[in-house]
Amino acid sequence: MTAPLTPPQQPPNDPAWPPPPPPYEGHGGDPITAAEVLQGLVVTAASVIAGAVLGALWAWLAPAVQLISDGKGVYLRDSEGEAAIGADGTFVLLALAFGAVAGLVVFLARRRGGVPLVLGLAVGGVLGSLLAWWLGTKLGPTADVVAHAKAVGPEVVFDAPLKLQMGAAAMLAWPLAAMIVHLLLTGAFGPRDPEPGPWEGYGKR
C-alpha cells in the first residue's frame, strides 16, 4: 500500500489568511461641506470689498482724456491721443494684479483647492470688477460733459469722464488671473493624492 498523496506544505489554518481586500469605494469625490461653502462666500465678499480699492486706484492712476469746448460743441483736445486706451490698460493691469493676489492669498489660507473656493474667486472677481468700474466712474470727472463744459467756459481744457472701452473683456481679467494663479499653486504645492495600495483597482470591471 502507498500513502495518500498530500501536498508537502499546508497553508496555515488561519481565518485571516489571505487578508480580505478592502471594501471598494467609488470615485465620486468627497461631498461639499457647509464649511467649504462658507469659505467660498467669504472669498466672494472679500473680493467685492477689494473691488472698491481697485476702483479708487483706477480713478487715481488712469490717464485723463482731455476735452475742450468752443462754446458750441465739445471736442477732444488731442484727437490722436491714447489716453482712452491707457484708461482701459490701467484697469486691466490693476485687475490682473488684484486677481493674482487673491489667488495667492486663498491658496496660502487654504492650501488646497475645492469647488466653493474656485467659484468664490470667479464670482468675487467679476463682482469686484463691476464695483471697481462703477466706483471709478463715480470718483472720476462728471459724466455730464455738456454741463461741465458750460461750467468751465469755452477754450478751457477739462477732463472727460472715466470710461472703459472694452468693459466686458476687462471684467474677466480679475477672475481669470485669480483662478490661474490658484490652480498653478495648488498643482505645484498642494497636497498630493495618496499612493495606490496593493488592492488598487479591486472590484473594477
Side-chain angles (χ1 to χ4, degrees), residues 72-98:
K72 298 180 180 179
V74 180
Y75 310 95
L76 288 171
R77 183 189 183 191
D78 184 4
S79 59
E80 298 182 355
E82 299 180 352
I85 300 176
D88 283 39
T90 302
F91 185 95
V92 171
L93 290 176
L94 287 172
L96 289 173
F98 271 67

Side-chain angles (χ1 to χ4, degrees), residues 5 38 55 98 141 168:
L5 297 177
L38 179 60
F98 271 67

Side-chain angles (χ1 to χ4, degrees), residues 187-205:
F189 305 106
R192 297 291 187 268
D193 293 333
E195 294 294 331
W199 293 101
E200 182 68 21
Y202 177 83
K204 295 182 179 179
R205 296 182 178 179

